Amino acid sequence: MNPQTLIDNKKPEQAVFIDFLAFTLSMSAFKDIHTYDKKGFEWRKYPAIPDPRCFKAERFANDSAGLTPEQANEYLSALTQCYFDRLRLFIADFFGLSMGVPRGRGGHFYDDSATLYSYEGSEDSLGTVYFGGNKDTVYIQISGKGCAHVFSYTTPMEIRNILNFLDITTLKRLDLATDDYTGIYTCQAALRDYKDDAFYVGHGPKPCIESAFAISADGEPTKEIVTVGSRKSRIYWRIYNKALEQKVTGIWYRSEVELKGVSTDSLLNISGTYTGICAYSAQINVAKPARILRGQARKAVDSIESSIRWIRKQGSKTLAKVFHLVEGDAAKFIDLLIQDKHLTDSHLSFDIPRVYQNILREKLAVSQTPF
């Protein structure tokens, strides 16, 4: 299929966003991070690299001889701790994320790991850092929810720049996606486009395709997904009904591609990277950057709708019993059900940008609580 044929068939604009990011780096890469040249970068908070001479006995401090095995172990332990502290600051500075405590279990050939959280007080996991062993490297994974947080804090270009400074030129994994709220880029459309070789990249064997559809006993669809390629291949597509997955109303399809071993330069132009993969992605007319992108308000509504649906399903009857018990006293109702530490924590909020929270408050005509 000629990609231009698809491009010429103009469709509503779709914004490309990063939905997963993973990379590996050496712990020693943090040796010179304090020298990173960026306006506003505060190098002083990075702990100083320990001096091996400080680990000698005082009377041998000026001796040019090397360290004893015991002194060398002490020095290496201090150096490792320094690099680890710099890792925490690096993740906070450039990704706006906080590392949790070591979990005592690893993965991906690492001995240990820690969960990544936001600094806003959310308890949701936004990714994982794997460390310990594996040639003294660190493996950082940032989930889809984590990427939404990170790139409300910084830009793909800023991330690319710091990664290149740390000699990271290849990403282990980069997921790029677009959301469709019009019903154009559906699973059925993906099946049709596959027949026209829209997912073929022009060399090597053609990718395989799988689809899965499920319907409940009352005839309602419960699953709708098409995958092209394999999880082990360099390019792996997932086109699925996001509304069904999130159990929200309305039309919401996601076209997501998982790229492995791509250059960090891909972060300089994620829209061009996405649309340049194949004819399927080339047909999507990518939106130019804008302050409020198409579909973001819908995502905010979906986030709230999904949470409320869970509460109604899990405890609606019990909540109603409590409400009747206090005879409709809203203040007493809230006092009984919500812990004081959560009620007074102003950082607790839905994981959506603040601007959309304000828009939704206005739309819902939310007034200040009178108690």
Side-chain angles (χ1 to χ4, degrees):
M1 168 178 277
N2 184 354
Q4 192 62 44
T5 302
L6 290 171
I7 296 173
D8 290 341
N9 185 17
K10 293 297 184 182
K11 300 292 194 302
E13 293 181 342
Q14 306 291 330
V16 176
F17 58 94
I18 298 174
D19 202 43
F20 194 93
L21 181 66
F23 57 91
T24 302
L25 71 161
S26 171
M27 286 293 278
S28 62
F30 294 113
K31 179 180 179 181
D32 298 316
I33 192 172
H34 60 283
T35 65
Y36 183 61
D37 185 15
K38 175 193 172 186
K39 185 177 180 180
F41 176 68
E42 182 51 63
W43 60 270
R44 295 177 185 86
K45 61 182 171 182
Y46 283 83
I49 299 294
D51 187 336
R53 293 174 296 180
C54 296
F55 291 83
K56 291 185 177 183
E58 185 175 349
R59 60 196 179 99
F60 297 119
N62 296 322
D63 191 349
S64 60
L67 301 176
T68 67
E70 183 179 19
Q71 292 168 343
N73 286 336
E74 292 178 1
Y75 166 68
L76 290 175
S77 178
L79 183 63
T80 299
Q81 185 60 52
C82 177
Y83 285 158
F84 197 79
D85 291 341
R86 287 188 166 206
L87 167 65
R88 286 182 176 276
L89 285 170
F90 160 72
I91 290 174
D93 267 0
F94 295 96
F95 296 88
L97 298 172
S98 172
M99 277 181 63
V101 299
R103 302 188 298 179
R105 64 181 186 277
H108 301 281
F109 305 104
Y110 290 88
D111 298 331
D112 209 342
S113 61
T115 301
L116 294 175
Y117 302 98
S118 75
Y119 271 101
E120 281 69 34
S122 172
E123 298 179 358
D124 293 334
S125 170
L126 301 183
T128 308
V129 179
Y130 295 91
F131 52 88
N134 210 350
K135 299 181 180 179
D136 291 325
T137 59
V138 178
Y139 181 37
I140 299 176
Q141 288 185 339
I142 303 175
S143 67
K145 185 177 288 187
C147 286
H149 171 82
V150 168
F151 294 109
S152 67
Y153 171 88
T154 186
T155 65
M157 181 179 292
E158 289 289 351
I159 297 299
R160 178 264 184 190
N161 290 343
I162 184 60
L163 293 184
N164 277 26
F165 177 81
L166 297 173
D167 292 327
I168 305 167
T169 57
T170 303
L171 300 172
K172 296 282 286 186
R173 177 176 160 187
L174 174 67
D175 287 13
L176 301 176
T178 55
D179 281 334
D180 171 48
Y181 300 97
T182 64
I184 295 175
Y185 303 108
T186 64
C187 292
Q188 294 298 331
L191 290 171
R192 176 203 63 208
D193 292 342
Y194 177 81
K195 293 179 181 178
D196 290 331
D197 288 337
F199 291 93
Y200 184 53
V201 298
H203 56 81
K206 294 183 180 181
C208 59
I209 187 169
E210 293 184 5
S211 61
F213 301 89
I215 300 176
S216 66
D218 56 5
E220 293 296 323
T222 58
K223 183 178 183 181
E224 187 179 357
I225 182 171
V226 171
T227 62
V228 181
S230 71
R231 296 303 299 265
K232 295 181 179 180
S233 59
R234 189 167 178 264
I235 301 174
Y236 177 61
W237 280 95
R238 292 181 293 270
I239 299 91
Y240 59 100
N241 191 324
K242 189 73 173 177
L244 287 182
E245 182 196 62
Q246 296 294 311
K247 296 182 172 58
V248 297
T249 58
I251 298 172
W252 182 9
Y253 284 88
R254 176 165 293 180
S255 294
E256 180 179 278
V257 61
E258 180 179 312
L259 304 172
K260 301 182 184 70
V262 295
S263 169
T264 52
D265 287 346
S266 300
L267 297 174
L268 296 176
N269 184 3
I270 61 172
S271 297
T273 298
Y274 182 83
T275 57
I277 295 170
C278 60
Y280 176 77
S281 53
Q283 73 180 313
I284 301 175
N285 184 23
V286 182
K288 294 181 179 179
R291 186 169 182 271
I292 298 179
L293 299 175
R294 183 188 298 266
Q296 292 299 308
R298 170 70 204 194
K299 286 186 180 181
V301 173
D302 289 338
S303 175
I304 294 176
E305 185 180 22
S306 179
S307 298
I308 292 175
R309 177 190 289 269
W310 183 86
I311 294 172
R312 287 175 63 89
K313 182 178 180 180
Q314 297 295 322
S316 178
K317 184 179 291 186
T318 301
L319 292 174
K321 290 178 181 178
V322 177
F323 187 74
H324 294 318
L325 176 67
V326 299
E327 298 181 340
D329 186 331
K332 179 61 66 177
F333 181 73
I334 291 175
D335 185 54
L336 287 173
L337 293 176
I338 305 178
Q339 298 180 41
D340 288 341
K341 65 178 181 179
H342 294 149
L343 194 61
T344 58
D345 187 351
S346 60
H347 294 298
L348 286 178
S349 64
F350 284 98
D351 188 25
I352 55 178
R354 190 179 302 277
V355 62
Y356 301 118
Q357 295 184 32
N358 294 335
I359 291 173
L360 286 168
R361 289 191 186 99
E362 293 177 8
K363 187 175 182 62
L364 298 172
V366 174
S367 60
Q368 292 293 322
T369 305
F371 47 81

